[in-house]
Amino acid sequence: LDIEWKQLNISGDPSVYNYGIINLPFKKIHIIHAQQSEMGMTAAAAMTAKVITHFEPKYILMTGIAAGFQFGDIMIGTDIWNYSSGKYEEISENDTTKVVLSPDPKHIPISQTLQNSLTSHKYDDLLDSIKEQYPQTLPVQNKPRVHFGPIACGVAVVASKEIVQQQVKAHGRKTIGLDMESYGVCYAAQTTSTRETPVIIVKSISDLADTEKDDSAQPYAAYTSAKFAENLIRNILK
């Protein structure tokens, strides 16, 4: 983002934060940027808890990449659920024993008021602008779209359509994509302080969670999710 970031260090905290300002005609919006040191829900929850404790933000936005069903599309989570929660059990079939996950999905819904605000806007012009301004070679030619719906969160990278169908779609048929961090962010936002902080998950699709998974679309997905989040900050969030 075209923001003049300044590094910010907190005594006793090994994480590095960046501080920036978005200037609007009648106000300034102060932003703290933080990045996890590794992937996953645990790192996401820890980082979110520290941000809440140090800075008491009005909103938390998580951007980045995720798996979904159309390269380059942007996902806004309305319900974040942990599909990897449950119990591993042995079952016997045809004289063979295999281990399966007996799921116990945990759900965290996003604020209905926030959902209504986000879904009431049209984003076609913004999406055209984001694609046109991408400074590198486009990895896909399709126009990006915005999808609102449940995002599934798990503990491991998924490169299997079978896992998607059996552990995700079978228990959340309206799920629009999956990642490894969003549930940790939402859980920390609900439990770190008595003042619950609204969360917006903005993830762009960089792979289809199949055997052809690679990293080629990740820079584009990271860019589109960040630019979309910037638009929310400038024009929608109050």
Side-chain angles (χ1 to χ4, degrees):
L1 301 182
D2 187 21
I3 295 175
E4 187 177 339
W5 297 106
K6 296 181 180 179
Q7 187 169 305
L8 184 62
N9 296 292
I10 304 294
S11 178
D13 183 350
S15 297
V16 174
Y17 304 94
N18 291 290
Y19 169 69
I21 296 176
I22 291 179
N23 290 297
L24 299 180
F26 301 105
K27 67 175 179 178
K28 293 182 178 180
I29 300 176
H30 302 266
I31 302 176
I32 294 292
H33 167 266
Q35 184 171 348
Q36 298 170 210
S37 58
E38 62 179 68
M39 296 187 297
M41 281 184 268
T42 301
M47 179 60 76
T48 303
K50 290 197 292 185
V51 167
I52 291 171
T53 301
H54 292 324
F55 307 108
E56 298 183 348
K58 186 173 182 179
Y59 295 98
I60 291 176
L61 288 85
M62 185 176 203
T63 65
I65 63 173
F69 309 108
Q70 178 64 57
F71 283 117
D73 282 3
I74 297 169
M75 304 185 298
I76 311 296
T78 58
D79 175 81
I80 310 301
W81 64 286
N82 181 359
Y83 71 87
S84 58
S85 175
K87 179 182 180 182
Y88 283 103
E89 299 177 319
E90 290 185 350
I91 63 171
S92 298
E93 290 183 355
N94 302 322
D95 298 324
T96 62
T97 300
K98 63 179 181 179
V99 177
V100 297
L101 175 67
S102 179
D104 181 21
K106 306 295 184 182
H107 291 256
I108 300 178
I110 301 301
S111 157
Q112 189 62 55
T113 301
L114 195 51
Q115 285 188 46
N116 294 341
S117 176
L118 296 175
T119 56
S120 65
H121 289 75
K122 300 295 184 182
Y123 299 104
D124 289 346
D125 291 343
L126 170 66
L127 296 173
D128 287 337
S129 175
I130 289 175
K131 180 181 177 182
E132 291 170 2
Q133 294 176 17
Y134 184 60
Q136 302 176 36
T137 302
L138 289 168
V140 295
Q141 294 305 315
N142 57 284
K143 175 181 176 178
R145 298 174 298 169
V146 176
H147 304 272
F148 293 88
I151 293 178
C153 187
V155 296
V157 175
V158 175
S160 166
K161 285 295 186 183
E162 184 177 357
I163 295 293
V164 172
Q165 292 301 322
Q166 293 183 1
Q167 290 187 221
V168 179
K169 282 293 190 178
H171 305 285
R173 64 181 180 83
K174 294 184 178 180
T175 297
I176 59 175
L178 53 157
D179 77 343
M180 296 173 60
E181 292 83 25
S182 56
Y183 188 85
V185 173
C186 293
Y187 184 85
Q190 283 194 346
T191 59
T192 299
S193 170
T194 55
R195 182 186 66 85
E196 186 176 330
T197 308
V199 174
I200 304 173
I201 304 296
V202 182
K203 290 291 190 86
S204 292
I205 298 169
S206 63
D207 68 79
L208 307 182
D210 57 16
T211 54
E212 298 181 5
K213 181 184 183 81
D214 63 33
D215 299 340
S216 60
Q218 287 186 1
Y220 178 63
Y223 175 85
T224 57
S225 67
K227 294 296 287 186
F228 191 89
E230 182 184 18
N231 174 74
L232 299 183
I233 294 170
R234 288 180 176 274
N235 299 306
I236 297 177
L237 301 182
K238 306 297 183 182

